[in-house]
């Protein structure tokens, strides 16, 4: 099967059955330093982000290298998290569409969207939808209320003054544990809790003793040093538990710290009762997991890939779903799509945006136009780069997906739509349309097999829907290796760690000769080795500062403006 990559401005070069163009992708030569900004996800802390600004539009090859290195497009530049300093970490995500199957709930959303929106728009039955949403949410509301009531029953808060002597003794023990841990990991952790009123102390039921949040406070106040050693909360808890080694204080209490859970202060003679309780809990958890596995097996039997696109209508640039037409077009701005965007921002996100914002973020090109891959044997061509996926019913624009197409994936950057469609989960519906589109395109281009969901912030509730897709893969921010999303990865993401895989090391060829880099200066292109020695030394110093952020392939692929 012959596949070629073309641009309109350069002659193709033959490589591995592909014709590949490497146009000059120029960026500014400067040291990339992560910039501090307020957290976008309202945790009250700060994010640190690297910004890479194009001087000229980038090629598809450079775009793919940027995505592999954890960058995403943002307005007129590319951004990437500094994972070692940021509060809420963003993890790159994608779905292998051949492994994706909709859950029963997702399938219901898709079918409801077709029946209630595509077939009826603009005559939508909001009362019926509101009633359905209320019925769907009622069981969870009841569960949440029950959990809250149970929590109130179990958690008997204890005043610090009532156990001050006990807390002072615990502080002494923790400082001795700190010394041992510091020697072990070669750090300078501080286990002294300056403000003891941060402590939350609860009385254990059945007069077992107490449990506190010592472990959470200690991890938080040493978080930068611990993250530098790739130590997450659960690992810290385990280390602390080993060092405590069931120490006895005041001849009455034993100190215990499990991998999960609070810091325990158990009355001597009662710890066996606690262990028995934990054993029963573990057994219940195992039984619950077994039941969950059985239920998943039953659900899997009724799942199948959902196909909503009309077969006869499908082309790589447009297709239909019933009365809805989806068109994939170049980015542009018009009164219709700008008005749709502004209404969406105002009514869905309660944010006042502008024409300038729309232009900068979505309608401005920073990727070269007129790039494509072509299957000559079947005479089909897929246009790559920045695109709009427009959703229209009866000629009216009701939604627009801002996407990027590369040789291997569809990257979903943003979606805005008619605010009246918010109750119908347009985001979930659009995600499955994109995945089905990728599956169909893959028949012509076998390497085109991923639908990218961009960043996922695991602590952001609004992004949780991205974690529900089967076939989900998460990129490790440290090693850039893609990993299948599972329970272990979920735990690590919740703890905001930057190392998700333990076995694969970061691949970095430190011996790469930087003198082979491309430099653009005085309106001409040069190899670095062609410049005078003083300029070479200056440029090499800057590139060495950036190699951990950009990586060898990007350093080699980009051209730097000097």
């Amino acid at each position: 099967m012959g596949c070629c990559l073309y641009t309109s401005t350069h002659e193709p070069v033959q490589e591995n059955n592909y014709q590949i163009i490497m146009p000059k992708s120029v960026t500014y030569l400067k040291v990339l330093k992560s910039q501090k900004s307020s957290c976008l996800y309202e945790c009250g802390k700060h994010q640190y982000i690297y910004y890479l600004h194009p001087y000229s539009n980038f090629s598809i090859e450079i775009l793919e290298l940027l995505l592999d290195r954890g960058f995403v497009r943002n307005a007129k530049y590319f951004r990437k998290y500094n994972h070692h300093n940021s509060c809420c970490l963003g993890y790159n995500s994608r779905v292998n569409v051949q492994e994706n199957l909709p859950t029963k709930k997702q399938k219901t959303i898709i079918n409801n969207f077709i029946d209630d929106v595509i077939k009826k728009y603009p005559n939508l039955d909001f009362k019926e939808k509101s009633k359905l949403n209320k019925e769907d949410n009622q069981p969870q509301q009841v569960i949440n209320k029950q959990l809250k009531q149970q929590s109130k029953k179990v958690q008997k808060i204890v005043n610090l003054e009532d156990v001050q002597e006990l807390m002072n003794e615990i502080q002494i023990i923790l400082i001795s544990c700190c010394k041992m841990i510091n020697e072990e990991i070669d750090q300078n952790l501080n286990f002294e809790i300056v403000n003891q009123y941060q402590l939350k102390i609860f009385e254990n039921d059945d007069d077992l003793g107490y449990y506190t949040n010592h472990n959470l406070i200690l991890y938080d106040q040493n978080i930068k040093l611990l993250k530098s050693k790739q130590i997450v909360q659960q690992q810290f808890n385990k280390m602390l538990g080993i060092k405590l080694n069931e120490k006895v204080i005041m001849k009455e209490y034993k100190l215990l710290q499990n991998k999960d859970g609070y810091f325990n202060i158990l009355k001597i003679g009662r710890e066996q009762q606690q262990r028995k309780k934990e054993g029963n809990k573990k057994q219940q958890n195992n039984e619950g997991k077994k039941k969950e596995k059985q239920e998943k097996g039953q659900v899997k039997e009724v799942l199948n890939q959902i196909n909503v696109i009309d077969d006869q209508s499908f082309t790589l640039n447009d297709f239909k779903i019933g009365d809805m037409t989806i068109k994939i077009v170049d980015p542009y701005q018009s009164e219709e799509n700008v008005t749709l965007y502004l209404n969406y921002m105002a009514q869905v996100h309660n944010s006042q945006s502008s024409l300038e914002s729309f232009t900068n973020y979505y309608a401005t090109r920073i990727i070269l136009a007129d790039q494509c891959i072509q299957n000559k044997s079947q005479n089909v061509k897929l246009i790559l780069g920045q695109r709009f996926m427009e959703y229209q019913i009866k000629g009216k624009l009701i939604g627009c997906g801002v996407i990027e197409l590369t040789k291997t994936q569809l990257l979903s950057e943003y979606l805005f739509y008619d605010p009246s469609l918010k109750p119908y989960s347009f985001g979930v519906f659009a995600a499955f349309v994109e995945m089905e589109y990728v599956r169909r395109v893959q028949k012509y281009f076998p390497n085109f097999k991923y639908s990218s969901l961009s960043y996922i912030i695991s602590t952001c509730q609004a992004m949780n829907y991205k974690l529900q897709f089967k076939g989900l893969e998460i990129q490790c921010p440290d090693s850039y290796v893609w990993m299948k999303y599972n329970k272990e990865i979920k735990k690590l993401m919740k703890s905001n760690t930057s190392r998700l895989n333990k076995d694969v090391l970061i691949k970095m060829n430190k011996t790469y000769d930087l003198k082979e880099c491309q430099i653009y200066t005085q309106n001409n292109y040069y190899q670095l080795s062609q410049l005078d020695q003083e300029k070479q030394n200056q440029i090499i110093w800057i590139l060495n500062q950036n190699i951990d952020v950009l990586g060898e392939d990007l350093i080699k692929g980009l051209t730097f403006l000097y």
Side-chain angles (χ1 to χ4, degrees), residues 113-154:
F113 193 94
I114 293 171
D115 292 339
D116 298 338
V117 177
I118 295 178
K119 293 181 180 179
K120 298 179 181 178
Y121 189 86
N123 303 313
L124 305 176
D125 191 346
F126 293 111
K127 289 183 179 180
E128 183 64 25
K129 184 64 183 173
S130 176
K131 182 181 176 182
L132 287 171
N133 283 344
K134 189 174 180 181
E135 289 172 356
D136 289 343
N137 292 333
Q138 184 63 27
Q140 190 59 48
Q141 290 171 354
V142 172
I143 292 169
N144 290 341
K145 188 175 180 181
Q146 290 172 347
L147 288 173
K148 195 171 181 181
Q149 289 173 345
Q150 283 180 349
S151 179
K152 284 181 179 179
K153 287 179 183 177
V154 173

Side-chain angles (χ1 to χ4, degrees), residues 160 167 193 195-201 212-214 217:
L160 175 63
M167 294 301 115
I193 298 177
N195 182 7
Q196 289 200 343
Y197 285 96
Q198 290 180 292
L199 286 170
K200 293 181 181 178
I201 308 164
T212 73
N213 63 335
H214 274 92
I217 293 173

Side-chain angles (χ1 to χ4, degrees), residues 30-259:
K30 63 179 181 179
V31 175
L32 297 178
K33 294 182 179 179
S34 58
Q35 298 179 25
K36 182 179 180 180
S37 62
S38 297
C39 181
L40 299 173
Y41 305 99
E42 301 179 359
C43 76
K45 298 182 182 179
H46 294 92
Q47 295 175 318
Y48 291 81
I49 299 172
Y50 296 106
Y51 294 96
L52 184 72
H53 294 263
Y55 174 75
S56 66
N57 287 354
F58 286 173
S59 68
I60 287 298
E61 288 81 9
I62 291 298
L63 172 61
E64 290 177 328
L65 291 175
L66 285 165
L67 296 174
D68 287 342
R69 199 72 189 173
F71 283 90
V72 293
R73 188 177 78 91
N74 189 265
K76 297 180 180 180
Y77 49 84
F78 291 89
R79 68 196 294 269
K80 170 184 177 176
Y81 283 94
N82 179 338
H83 288 84
H84 296 291
N85 295 328
S86 293
C87 48
C88 300
L89 300 192
Y91 298 91
N92 255 350
S93 64
R94 68 186 186 188
V95 173
N96 185 331
V97 297
Q98 293 301 333
E99 297 179 7
N100 177 258
L101 293 171
T103 63
K104 189 174 181 180
K105 183 177 180 181
Q106 289 167 342
K107 202 167 184 179
T108 299
I109 289 172
I110 296 165
N111 290 333
N112 285 346
F113 193 94
I114 293 171
D115 292 339
D116 298 338
V117 177
I118 295 178
K119 293 181 180 179
K120 298 179 181 178
Y121 189 86
N123 303 313
L124 305 176
D125 191 346
F126 293 111
K127 289 183 179 180
E128 183 64 25
K129 184 64 183 173
S130 176
K131 182 181 176 182
L132 287 171
N133 283 344
K134 189 174 180 181
E135 289 172 356
D136 289 343
N137 292 333
Q138 184 63 27
Q140 190 59 48
Q141 290 171 354
V142 172
I143 292 169
N144 290 341
K145 188 175 180 181
Q146 290 172 347
L147 288 173
K148 195 171 181 181
Q149 289 173 345
Q150 283 180 349
S151 179
K152 284 181 179 179
K153 287 179 183 177
V154 173
Q155 293 181 346
K156 301 172 186 175
I157 298 174
V158 178
N159 292 325
L160 175 63
E161 291 81 1
D162 296 337
V163 288
Q164 185 66 66
E165 185 181 358
L166 177 60
M167 294 301 115
N168 291 342
E169 290 290 329
I170 290 172
Q171 181 69 85
I172 294 169
I173 296 295
L174 288 174
I175 290 173
S176 68
C177 291
C178 182
K179 291 178 182 178
M180 290 187 283
I181 292 175
N182 280 335
E183 289 176 3
E184 187 175 305
I185 66 173
D186 191 25
Q187 286 291 344
N188 190 25
L189 305 180
N190 177 18
F191 278 17
E192 184 175 355
I193 298 177
V194 179
N195 182 7
Q196 289 200 343
Y197 285 96
Q198 290 180 292
L199 286 170
K200 293 181 181 178
I201 308 164
F202 304 98
E203 186 178 349
N204 238 321
D205 54 347
D206 299 326
D207 196 28
L208 291 172
Y210 308 96
Y211 59 98
T212 73
N213 63 335
H214 274 92
N215 57 320
L216 303 179
I217 293 173
L218 295 178
Y219 184 81
D220 189 59
Q221 72 183 33
N222 293 283
I223 190 165
K224 283 190 177 180
L225 293 174
L226 291 167
K227 276 194 171 184
S228 70
K229 292 290 184 178
Q230 304 297 327
I231 298 172
V232 299
Q233 181 75 62
Q234 288 89 343
Q235 292 168 316
F236 174 74
N237 290 348
K238 188 175 180 180
M239 291 170 63
L240 183 58
I242 291 170
K243 296 298 178 283
L244 286 171
N245 195 25
E246 299 189 358
K247 289 188 183 295
V248 176
I249 59 173
M250 299 174 68
K251 298 181 180 180
E252 188 179 353
Y253 298 98
K254 278 187 180 180
L255 304 181
L256 298 172
Q257 176 63 64
N258 296 321
K259 185 179 73 170

Side-chain angles (χ1 to χ4, degrees), residues 27 355 409 422 518:
T27 186
L355 170 61
Q409 66 179 304
K422 184 180 178 181
Q518 299 295 312

Side-chain angles (χ1 to χ4, degrees), residues 343-371:
N343 288 341
Y344 170 81
M345 294 299 293
Q347 297 179 45
V348 176
H349 292 291
N350 196 27
S351 173
Q352 297 303 314
S353 194
S354 64
L355 170 61
E356 182 183 10
S357 178
F358 179 85
T359 303
N360 288 339
Y361 276 86
Y362 307 120
T364 299
R365 278 196 179 276
I366 61 172
I367 305 298
L368 283 168
D370 301 323
Q371 297 183 95

